[in-house]
Amino acid sequence: MRRRMAALAGVVAVLSSALTAVPASAATEVNGCVASVPEPGTTTPVKICYSLFRPAGASAAHTVPLIFHSHGWGGSRTKDPAAFKAWLDAGFGVLSFDQRSFGESTGVAHVMNPDFEGRDVVKLVDLVAGLDWVTQQRPGDPLIGAIGGSYGGGYQFAGAFTELRDRGRTRFDALAPEITWWDLKQSLAPAEAARTLWLSILFAGGGTHLPPAVSAGFVTLIATGAWPAGKAGRDLTAFFAHNGPAWHVAQGRKLDIPVLLGQGISDNLFNLNQGLANFDRALTAQARAKSLFIGYNGGHTLPAVVPPGFATPGDPCSIALGSPDFSGLAIRFMKLRLLGSRTGLSGFGTYHLSTANGRCLTQRSLSPNRTFKLGKIAIPTGVGLPLNLKLAKGPITVAGTPHLTANVYTVVPQSAAYFALSVGTNPLTAKVVQNNTMPLREKHAARGVRRTIELPAIAVDVPAGQNLYLTVAPLADMYAGQRGPIPGALLLKHGVLTVHAG
């Protein structure tokens, strides 16, 4: 049976390949599919389809490294070689592929499960390992990097970590993921409070590609704003459990390869917290010392109206490092790491963050170094206006992830409030930094339960004449539709907020 399946895989790859010349880029393009892991309960291999671009001059006598690329959620691969002209001109081959269930690929979306999407990527690496024009470091080990954002960043971690799990090492030599996640459940529903606005968009773009039970769970999340109770909730948690770097790190795995990581600070789906967790926890210390973290105001961005927020769009840190944008920075990074070219890149092992007003702030550490003691904080839940509590006068610069620890009291189950840091001349003019809030949701009545709330990670310069505030809001538009049984109240006592400030 195994021999027949292997033979079938070869036939699928050969029969579905077509060679065409691409004069515009002086490259050649091959379209094909590989046979990958069947869906549960079936024996039919899933097709993972790709477009392979070979730069002019690449041959067995003159090999080149190759860059993997893939699309975001609900999208499909890039077939136009003009989209990769900069990479082809720089001397890289490119393979762009349709992820499982999207484009021409078959199967069901398991949302970066290592046993499905992870192994799909491994099958494609096996394909590239057999190309005589791609540089091989040793038999079966091609010289490869990867690019892509959002879901197209997720496959990079899924593929590299799956190889690390199954082979003891990954064949990827460098990654450049953008605006992707560390923990998928935590991103979609932090504290099990659903980001309903984004879940609605994601479901509209690809809900039919999910397993039916997971699709139904998404509908429940959108309709109620809360993680489903009982078996449905346990099944949904199990579905997402392995789908991100957080699970692999919990199993004792870390990547030991250089990574250029781009994260949207004003991204209110996969926020800066997710990117910092990847940089700080998914890489070995040696890998991090060869890596770059770029935070910019962009990504999955929806304007924050309730409570109001602000951010200046742009990527000043890629510019500060000598590139016009993150894409240009990625080419320089791969030329350095895969070709050994002198690119002039510097700033490795540090955080390069766009402030809310558009300045590039570089920090070697984001560890908390400032503590603010808070008095009693009483906030209505489900209805009412935000509360803005003054923390400090400007000038002050804040960067990284603030944490609020307090004793929590509420008599109403499912009470929720939303937290952020904000800036303004007074409480009435304060606006949330970089458009992000994070929730506290108490499932049950609470009497003095000690909680630590992770606030949105930020970078902000508070100028003289303005103040830094803690915002606590009963409502937040990204979590629209959160349902408690009745409007209630939360009381926080003995609160302490820690942050990195200078």
Side-chain angles (χ1 to χ4, degrees), residues 190-191 193 381 408 414-419 438-442 451-453 490 492:
T381 60
V408 178
Q414 304 297 338
S415 291
Y418 307 91
F419 297 78
M438 288 283 274
L440 167 68
R441 186 182 180 98
E442 287 293 341
R451 300 290 191 209
T452 295
I453 306 155
L490 279 171
L492 278 64

Side-chain angles (χ1 to χ4, degrees), residues 86-87 90 92 260 326-336 343:
W87 288 98
F92 295 95
L260 169 63
F326 188 86
S327 296
L329 192 65
I331 292 176
R332 291 172 65 204
F333 185 79
M334 292 299 176
K335 288 178 73 173
L336 172 65
T343 63

Side-chain angles (χ1 to χ4, degrees), residues 154-236:
Y155 87 85
Q156 299 178 49
F157 283 123
F161 270 115
T162 299
E163 285 207 312
L164 183 58
R165 180 193 69 173
D166 295 347
R167 302 166 62 100
R169 60 181 296 272
T170 180
R171 289 174 288 178
F172 281 97
D173 298 287
L175 306 177
E178 286 188 81
I179 56 174
T180 195
W181 66 87
W182 154 260
D183 183 309
L184 192 53
K185 178 183 174 182
Q186 188 183 81
S187 293
L188 299 177
E192 298 196 344
R195 295 185 195 270
T196 47
L197 228 58
W198 273 113
L199 285 168
S200 299
I201 293 169
L202 293 172
F203 188 79
T208 57
H209 294 264
L210 294 164
V214 177
S215 182
F218 259 70
V219 172
T220 299
L221 282 169
I222 294 166
T224 68
W227 205 256
K231 185 177 184 301
R234 291 192 298 272
D235 288 348
L236 199 58

Side-chain angles (χ1 to χ4, degrees), residues 39 45 54 61 176 186 207 245 296 304 345 416 426-427 502:
E39 289 296 326
R54 173 177 174 171
Q186 188 183 81
Y296 47 77
L345 272 180
N426 59 62

Side-chain angles (χ1 to χ4, degrees), residues 468-493:
L468 178 70
Y469 295 91
L470 169 67
T471 294
V472 187
L475 301 167
D477 44 17
M478 297 303 138
Y479 305 87
Q482 299 287 327
R483 292 184 187 175
I486 55 173
L490 279 171
L491 176 64
L492 278 64
K493 291 184 178 180

